[in-house]
Amino acid sequence: MADRMPCRSRAGGMTGQQLLPIGIALSVDIECREDRRTPYRARVRWVDPVSKRRQSRSEAFRTDAEAQTWIARMQRLAGRGVSPATATTTLAEYGELEWDVAMRGLEAKTMHPYRAGWDLRVVPALGHLQIPMITHGVVDRVVHGWIADGEGRSTVKNTLAALVRVMEQAARDGIVDRNPARVTGWQRQYKLAEDELDDPRSLALPDWAALDELAFALVVRSADEYGGWGDVVRFAACTAARIGEVSGVRAGDINREAWTWEVCRQTTTAPGGLVDKGTKGKRRRTVPIIPEIRPMVAARLDAVGHDPMNRLFTGPRGGRITTAVLRDATHWDEVVVKLGYEHLRRHDLRHTGLTWMADAGVPLHVLRKIAGHGSLTTTQRYLHPDLRSVDLAGKALSAHLAAGRGAPAADEPAPPGPQMVPTEPPKRHLRVVK
């Protein structure tokens, strides 16, 4: 790097002996703007060899080291013939540009499920990422999320196949060294996720303090510290709702007298954008609104006015909320890792609410109605006993055995360990009846 000033560092263009293989000379600089949340702005500039126009790309970072790493990556990719414009393209943009090339050779009947998987799952989950940022670990997390959200095997297979083809084209273009979407043994991962869903309690937050800490941290990490993200998280967990259902709630769905919510719609992705439709399984249900979140709900009802069709929860600009929007706006993955909940997904807020209700003693048939489950077996997964229940079960068994053998005298200590219940039947006594 050249001369370094207090808030600015700069490196000039490469010399003639350092020209890149495709003839692109990069000039780079890092500017420090101390009034910004991400003060270090890294920039690369070059002259396009075809159009002869001067172009540039820049990104902001929290530290100078992160900015230096980004510049080094741009230089490394440019050295392989990849322009910074291509290197900073998002997956969604690249997929649209290269879709036909990536899918060449496929039959029309195969293209339809691939395209559906790309539009409905790949783009919402990964479309915002620059292609070099997509790693095997990122793809693993996303595939696991699709499986955990209930997507079928063929759906996951077709979705992953579309991603593999697009990333294979990126590898051919030199943007990545190898295809990170070629996840080996994903069927085994599918089985592991299914096993995990047999115990959804393991995915739940432990208590209200943990939920409050998560909501607060997400708000702090979001742009302009928008408090609505915390409201969404608390509401979803305390009502055991899906994020799409939280987005779909309207003012008229809330009964302020009984403090209940009539769940009847959800926001979901569809070709062409977001749409509102019926809940999963088309099942309407009534959910209680607990005292802990009533003041927040009341404040939101007052804020949205008297129109019953006004949305109760929106983004900072009034837009609809999805699980992907919540993730990106709050830097969810970064926050949950820092809090020690690496496994936590947005859908786990629903697992949290149902687990808490089960532990509170909500009857199984009532819990099933609140959850909107079609199968009682699904609801029973939340009833696995906690440690307190196990302890009480042990005491109950001990009391039962003690009753069978007769209680020990007051001055006689109870024999150690469990005792067998007498198996000899009581003797019968005959009585003469005149």
Side-chain angles (χ1 to χ4, degrees), residues 28-227:
V28 303
D29 67 276
I30 300 175
E31 180 183 4
C32 174
R33 296 177 289 185
E34 296 176 348
D35 59 331
R36 304 293 180 88
R37 181 188 294 270
T38 50
Y40 293 92
R41 175 175 167 270
R43 180 174 59 174
V44 295
R45 292 179 293 177
W46 74 99
V47 176
D48 186 275
V50 178
S51 65
K52 305 302 180 183
R53 293 182 179 180
R54 191 170 181 81
Q55 299 187 27
S56 68
R57 286 290 186 276
S58 64
E59 284 197 28
F61 301 92
R62 289 182 174 272
T63 66
D64 180 73
E66 292 175 349
Q68 295 282 5
T69 300
W70 182 81
I71 284 178
R73 182 165 63 86
M74 292 298 102
Q75 291 175 325
R76 185 172 62 255
L77 290 172
R80 297 197 322 229
V82 180
S83 74
T86 304
T88 56
T89 298
T90 65
L91 178 63
E93 295 168 341
Y94 183 80
E96 287 303 313
L97 290 173
E98 303 294 337
W99 181 260
D100 291 338
V101 176
M103 301 297 151
R104 62 182 179 271
L106 292 180
E107 298 182 6
K109 65 179 181 180
T110 305
M111 287 283 291
H112 180 71
Y114 278 26
R115 186 71 205 198
W118 177 265
D119 290 338
L120 299 181
R121 281 166 288 279
V122 174
V123 172
L126 298 171
H128 63 292
L129 296 177
Q130 294 176 7
I131 293 175
M133 296 175 62
I134 300 174
T135 63
H136 284 289
V138 170
V139 176
D140 277 340
R141 274 182 75 94
V142 169
V143 172
H144 180 87
W146 293 334
I147 297 169
D149 287 340
E151 303 293 354
R153 287 179 180 269
S154 62
T155 299
V156 173
K157 175 178 176 293
N158 291 328
T159 301
L160 190 56
L163 177 60
V164 166
R165 279 185 162 262
V166 171
M167 292 304 298
E168 192 66 34
Q169 183 61 38
R172 286 194 290 267
D173 286 341
I175 304 175
V176 292
D177 295 327
R178 55 183 179 179
N179 189 343
R182 291 193 177 279
V183 181
T184 58
W186 70 269
Q187 290 87 347
R188 179 169 51 84
Q189 188 181 35
Y190 198 106
K191 180 63 169 63
L192 290 174
E194 287 180 328
D195 293 342
E196 184 180 62
L197 288 179
D198 285 337
D199 184 15
R201 296 173 56 87
S202 64
L203 306 174
L205 289 168
D207 50 34
W208 172 266
L211 172 63
D212 207 40
E213 180 186 33
L214 172 64
F216 179 78
L218 293 171
V219 169
V220 170
R221 190 64 183 86
S222 67
D224 300 324
E225 297 188 0
Y226 176 58

Side-chain angles (χ1 to χ4, degrees), residues 239-242 245 263 279-280 283-288 347 350 353-355 357 362-375 378-380 382:
T239 58
R242 304 172 179 92
E245 294 170 341
V263 186
T279 58
K280 188 174 181 180
R283 289 183 289 271
R284 298 173 68 100
R285 63 186 193 275
T286 302
V287 174
H347 192 71
R350 173 170 164 83
L354 292 174
T355 298
M357 292 180 190
V362 176
L364 181 61
H365 68 283
V366 176
L367 187 63
R368 177 187 177 186
K369 290 182 179 179
I370 292 175
H373 289 152
S375 169
T378 303
T379 310
Q380 287 174 327
Y382 295 92

Side-chain angles (χ1 to χ4, degrees), residues 317-360:
R317 298 181 181 177
R320 284 179 284 192
I321 298 169
T322 65
T323 182
V325 168
L326 178 61
R327 175 201 63 208
D328 297 342
T330 61
H331 300 269
W332 176 284
D333 292 339
E334 172 189 326
V335 170
V336 297
V337 169
K338 286 184 177 179
L339 293 179
Y341 303 122
E342 293 87 351
H343 69 281
L344 196 71
R345 299 165 297 119
R346 276 73 59 200
H347 192 71
D348 295 333
L349 297 172
R350 173 170 164 83
H351 293 319
T352 295
L354 292 174
T355 298
W356 289 357
M357 292 180 190
D359 287 348

